[in-house]
Amino acid sequence: MYDPTVARLTYRALLGRRRALILGALPLLLIVIATAVRALAGADDQTAVNVLGGFALATMVPIIGVIAGTGAIGPEIDDGSVVYLLSKPIKRPTIIFTKLIVAIAVTMVFSAVPTLVAGLILNGNGQQIAVAYTVAALVASIAYAALFLLLGTVSRHAVVFGLVYALVWEALFGSLVPGARTLSVHRWALAVAHKVSGGDMVTSDVGLTTATVLLVVVTVLATWYAGQKLRSLTLAGEE
């Protein structure tokens, strides 16, 4: 289910100079914000929750997921180079699964690691806040990578749609509309963070069991459907 050659090509595409600069911009901004807040306000648990929950998990992680998830396959479909990949004796589900693993790894590195660093800067992991949000970022990275990889497979405007989802649905509707919170990867990840922190500083509108089930279901279904769409793309190219 994992092809090293496909993985190497995907890593090279995602971590090219231009895309790497884009991926690194938000994590760098998070570290700068955390450093400035700590210098001005000192160590404060609520401030750490506000920064990590409001910027890192709600904004940075989904945007990085968009870049990594759509970038893992979208450009190859847009420029037609995916045809050469599909002509190789590699199973289509293997291609999707390999690209998903790469997208997850890139999303985790560029989101979870800076989240942990920022949390340690903000309050030294008081009340396990830094670790809680880091685990939430890791969990969210998996679901976001799967969702946006699917989006990159089915649409030529995947980045635009992904940003609309991340910034409008997750950040706006997810915080203002109660019903939308149940259908938000951000809120599911918060449920995991709440469990890890073991306190009342981190809260979520979704229970841990529900959040875990939805995270697994969304990840599996998105990956499966992306594989099906790639099969259809192959047949269209052969015809």
Side-chain angles (χ1 to χ4, degrees), residues 22 38 47 65 75 92 96 102-103 107 149-150 198:
I22 297 174
R38 177 61 185 266
T47 300
R92 302 328 178 227
I96 288 296
V102 173
T107 306
L149 178 65
L150 169 61

Side-chain angles (χ1 to χ4, degrees), residues 19-57:
R19 198 177 296 273
L21 289 174
I22 297 174
L23 284 169
L26 284 175
L28 179 60
L29 179 59
L30 173 63
I31 301 300
V32 170
I33 291 174
T35 303
V37 169
R38 177 61 185 266
L40 295 174
D44 181 76
D45 293 342
Q46 186 58 55
T47 300
V49 168
N50 292 339
V51 174
L52 297 180
F55 180 74
L57 191 61

